[in-house]
Amino acid sequence: MSQHHKLGFILFLLFFGPMASLSDPAFVGTYGINYGRLADNIPSPDKVVTLLRSAKIRNVRIFDADHSVLTAFSGAGFKLVIGLPNGFIKDMSSNASNALSWVKDNVQKFMPGICGVAIGNEVLGGSDAELYGALLGAVKNIHSALSQLGLSDAVQVSTAHSQAVFSNSYPPSSCVFRENIAQYMKSLLQFFSEAGSPFCLNAYPFLDYMNDPASIDINYALFQKTKGIFDPKTELHYDNMLDAQIDAAYAALEDAGFDKMEVIVTETGWASKGDGNEAAATPENARIYNFNLRKRLAKKKGTPRRPKNVVKAYVFATFNENQKPGPTSERNFGLFKPDGSIAYDVGYKGLTSSSADSIVLSLKGFPARGLLRSYQLVSTICTLVLLLLLRQ
């Protein structure tokens, strides 16, 4: 290859390589994290960016579209899913122009880097039945707005479901959607199937175990050695509860006619502290679950029912959130302390202050920053490459 051809190829990669981020998959690798902020003692978004970069976590979910967070994460090399809170669903469903304005203000302005918009959280099966019928309209209007702005190929729409949408989920093969939400779910799944979106599931072995500790082996919930369960209908064996929960979702999707849809776990975790009736919520159990979850996901394998569908999951959560309502366990799912140090050891080191590390991390974030925002750095690199080639 001549020097001129080499130079042209290098310049093409440098200038157009960053553009490739617009067509990247919505979830890279297998591991992600939820970054909740219902707390008054957690680090600033800028420090959270540094923390998650240090931990080499690229997939991040937030539950709103706070601009201080979006600004901190913009161009930093993450695959960020933002949330449209439940309180916005009715308005977005009934007003397409508001949906377009919302997407312009909260998605387009912070591209590239945002890979998904989660429309509400645990709506179907939740306590506000009025939102059931509005959910699909909000999903369609947000997706339409993304399409109008040329972002629908880069930004995926979704909504996360709790296990409350299921009926008869044990054994996994018996799982179906509850009758009272089936009509809403099927229309939603049809749209997601056409849009190429996954089924997003919040799956917590911790909660299932807490609901029936007398019948469930805690080792089964914690990915520990156990005899597991056997599904007589499919003749499949499960050695951990999370796989069973995922396959229950696949069974329900098959029953509804959507056997090609992927399941992604959008929340899973284990509390490190709880009330008197939450004895399993201990730092050691939280460490075991989250450490074994990382190992499970690192294997990049599927479930017994879907061995070719590699399991992907977002752990809950980055920090303990001291302002969350509910039982004590709700405020104690964090992997990190407010100062950025680890809450317990699952293989992360927490924040580092090394200037050398900061430089390396900044360079790692470069490919996702986009052409315009990186023009000066790209120009400098191109000049150096040109000089080196001309000297040969």
Side-chain angles (χ1 to χ4, degrees):
M1 184 183 289
S2 69
Q3 287 188 351
H4 288 94
H5 283 102
K6 286 181 182 178
L7 177 60
F9 180 68
I10 291 170
L11 292 177
F12 175 84
L13 290 178
L14 286 171
F15 276 100
F16 293 98
M19 296 298 188
S21 63
L22 292 179
S23 59
D24 283 348
F27 196 114
V28 295
T30 59
Y31 189 93
I33 199 165
N34 287 275
Y35 168 31
R37 303 185 334 279
L38 293 179
D40 59 9
N41 62 347
I42 59 176
S44 66
D46 287 335
K47 291 183 179 179
V48 175
V49 167
T50 302
L51 171 65
L52 297 183
R53 275 175 160 181
S54 177
K56 298 181 180 179
I57 298 174
R58 289 189 61 191
N59 304 293
V60 181
R61 291 180 75 242
I62 62 174
F63 295 91
D64 55 22
D66 183 277
H67 282 201
S68 67
V69 176
L70 299 186
T71 299
F73 276 81
S74 181
F78 292 91
K79 306 296 288 185
L80 184 65
V81 174
I82 66 174
L84 177 81
N86 290 3
F88 288 77
I89 288 177
K90 291 180 182 178
D91 178 54
M92 295 300 158
S93 180
S94 62
N95 195 318
S97 63
N98 284 358
L100 180 61
S101 295
W102 189 90
V103 171
K104 285 180 178 178
D105 291 342
N106 300 293
V107 181
Q108 185 182 46
K109 187 182 295 184
F110 297 97
M111 292 295 289
I114 295 176
C115 67
V117 178
I119 314 299
N121 188 50
E122 300 186 349
V123 173
L124 299 183
S127 59
D128 190 347
E130 291 186 4
L131 294 182
Y132 291 13
L135 179 59
L136 179 59
V139 168
K140 286 183 174 180
N141 282 343
I142 293 294
H143 185 267
S144 176
L146 290 168
S147 296
Q148 290 180 55
L149 298 172
L151 298 174
S152 58
D153 289 338
V155 182
Q156 194 175 68
V157 290
S158 65
T159 189
H161 304 285
S162 74
Q163 291 172 286
V165 300
F166 300 133
S167 177
N168 305 321
S169 59
Y170 180 84
S173 62
S174 69
C175 188
V176 294
F177 291 112
R178 282 172 43 189
E179 287 186 12
N180 68 318
I181 59 102
Q183 60 175 319
Y184 304 105
M185 181 65 79
K186 192 154 188 176
S187 299
L188 189 66
L189 293 175
Q190 184 62 49
F191 183 82
F192 282 150
S193 177
E194 294 167 0
S197 297
F199 182 86
C200 295
L201 175 67
N202 295 344
Y204 285 92
F206 169 75
L207 296 179
D208 276 9
Y209 174 78
M210 290 300 303
N211 287 334
D212 194 7
S215 303
I216 299 174
D217 179 2
I218 194 170
N219 292 317
Y220 176 62
L222 291 172
F223 301 96
Q224 300 280 67
K225 188 175 182 180
T226 176
K227 67 178 182 179
I229 67 165
F230 179 76
D231 190 324
K233 182 178 178 180
T234 58
E235 297 187 345
L236 295 174
H237 176 262
Y238 292 88
D239 59 12
N240 72 83
M241 188 184 290
L242 184 65
D243 278 7
Q245 291 175 331
I246 296 170
D247 274 359
Y250 276 124
L253 288 170
E254 287 182 27
D255 179 73
F258 299 92
D259 58 339
K260 303 299 183 184
M261 187 170 287
E262 179 186 18
V263 174
I264 290 182
V265 178
T266 36
E267 290 181 30
T268 189
W270 198 283
S272 61
K273 184 180 180 181
D275 294 320
N277 62 344
E278 299 177 304
T282 68
E284 180 60 11
N285 284 342
R287 185 196 67 79
I288 292 171
Y289 183 83
N290 283 292
F291 180 77
N292 287 335
L293 174 67
R294 284 196 70 195
K295 288 201 304 181
R296 164 68 180 87
L297 296 176
K299 292 178 181 178
K300 296 184 178 180
K301 69 174 187 177
T303 60
R305 193 181 187 100
R306 288 286 189 276
K308 294 183 179 180
N309 287 17
V310 175
V311 175
K312 304 169 186 175
Y314 293 86
V315 67
F316 189 89
T318 309
F319 304 104
N320 291 337
E321 296 176 69
N322 63 3
Q323 295 182 330
K324 288 194 72 174
T328 298
S329 59
E330 283 291 313
R331 295 179 287 282
N332 289 279
F333 275 87
L335 298 186
F336 299 96
K337 297 178 181 179
D339 64 359
S341 63
I342 58 173
Y344 38 79
D345 188 7
V346 295
Y348 297 126
K349 295 181 181 179
L351 282 174
T352 59
S353 58
S354 166
S355 58
D357 287 346
S358 298
I359 294 172
V360 171
L361 291 171
S362 295
L363 290 174
K364 284 183 178 179
F366 167 71
R369 293 183 184 274
L371 179 62
L372 295 178
R373 298 181 63 185
S374 306
Y375 178 77
Q376 289 182 327
L377 182 55
V378 171
S379 299
T380 301
I381 294 173
C382 289
T383 301
L384 291 173
V385 171
L386 177 61
L387 291 174
L388 289 171
L389 288 173
L390 291 175
R391 288 179 62 184
Q392 293 180 357

